[in-house]
Amino acid sequence: MDEESRSLTERIRQESRGTPAYDRLLATGDHDELADVLTAPGQPLWARELAAFRLGLAGDRRAFESLVLLLNHRDAPRCASAAHALARLGDPRTARAAAALATNELRVAYALYPVRLLAELRAPESVPALITTLERRLRPHDPYRRVALACVQGLGDLGDQRARRVLNEALAHPALAEAAVHALARIPQQQPRS
């Protein structure tokens, strides 16, 4: 069991107060039983999260919609768990959904985990979405520095030439300058044309 799985199971055990339903969802190997929790009325959030997480880790795409909703949740631990499961789910819709969440200005307060997920996925949508999100965070007095920093770091991890311009702009922001220097250093130099 990895660290994210341990963290989720402990958090949900406390949230569920260790009920028999928690034990059953944790122990079952039946994907249909887990998927039923996602659609059955009256299920508590902890049960839906545990079922979606387990299905996501197993590569069962029935978890996709629930995990995307959790990725944009107001509680950071739920977002982190959803991002972890989505990165392992293998659903081709994941990058597009993460990009939509990362670039949604109405939900920017919750964009940190979608941004991190985009960097991890290394999908075609990743670099354009991170550039767009970072450009918006470079406005004066923007309160979402953690999101901006995650974009800078993600763009450095991705090492794509298209990020050079916005990373150079980030150098002018004291809270981002050091990370931008490191990110720029990770982007390979373009070879001159002969």
Side-chain angles (χ1 to χ4, degrees):
M1 182 180 288
D2 63 25
E3 185 57 38
E4 191 61 47
S5 297
R6 271 192 292 280
S7 175
L8 173 124
T9 53
E10 178 57 26
R11 177 173 51 80
I12 290 184
R13 185 186 63 74
Q14 291 174 6
E15 196 174 322
S16 70
R17 295 182 173 80
T19 63
Y22 164 80
D23 292 331
R24 188 182 72 252
L25 286 176
L26 190 60
T28 187
D30 183 350
H31 288 190
D32 290 335
E33 181 180 353
L34 292 170
D36 287 345
V37 171
L38 300 179
T39 57
Q43 292 294 320
L45 180 58
W46 64 260
R48 292 183 194 281
E49 182 181 4
L50 181 56
F53 183 83
R54 293 204 53 221
L55 287 170
L57 292 185
D60 189 319
R61 292 184 180 174
R62 291 177 288 183
F64 176 77
E65 287 85 4
S66 295
L67 289 171
V68 169
L69 289 172
L70 290 165
L71 181 63
N72 197 34
H73 199 274
R74 69 181 174 272
D75 296 333
R78 292 196 199 287
C79 299
S81 297
H84 182 78
L86 281 164
R88 284 140 191 85
L89 179 61
D91 191 302
R93 300 171 291 175
T94 299
R96 198 168 46 248
L101 293 174
T103 58
N104 182 344
E105 279 298 291
L106 298 176
R107 301 288 294 173
V108 69
Y110 309 108
L112 181 62
Y113 289 95
V115 162
R116 289 177 177 168
L117 178 59
L118 284 166
E120 184 176 353
L121 292 173
R122 305 183 81 81
E125 296 88 348
S126 297
V127 171
L130 294 181
I131 288 172
T132 297
T133 304
L134 180 56
E135 285 172 337
R136 293 172 180 167
R137 305 288 59 86
L138 296 179
R139 296 178 189 136
H141 312 295
D142 185 85
Y144 304 107
R145 285 292 168 219
R146 290 184 67 208
V147 173
L149 185 58
C151 288
V152 169
Q153 292 166 338
L155 288 168
D157 291 344
L158 294 169
D160 191 295
Q161 293 290 337
R162 294 174 290 175
R164 279 194 179 283
R165 180 192 52 78
V166 73
L167 289 172
N168 279 313
E169 291 174 20
L171 292 171
H173 297 263
L176 303 174
E178 185 177 345
V181 166
H182 293 297
L184 283 163
R186 297 182 70 190
I187 298 175
Q189 293 294 324
Q190 249 181 330
Q191 299 300 318
R193 294 182 182 170
S194 46

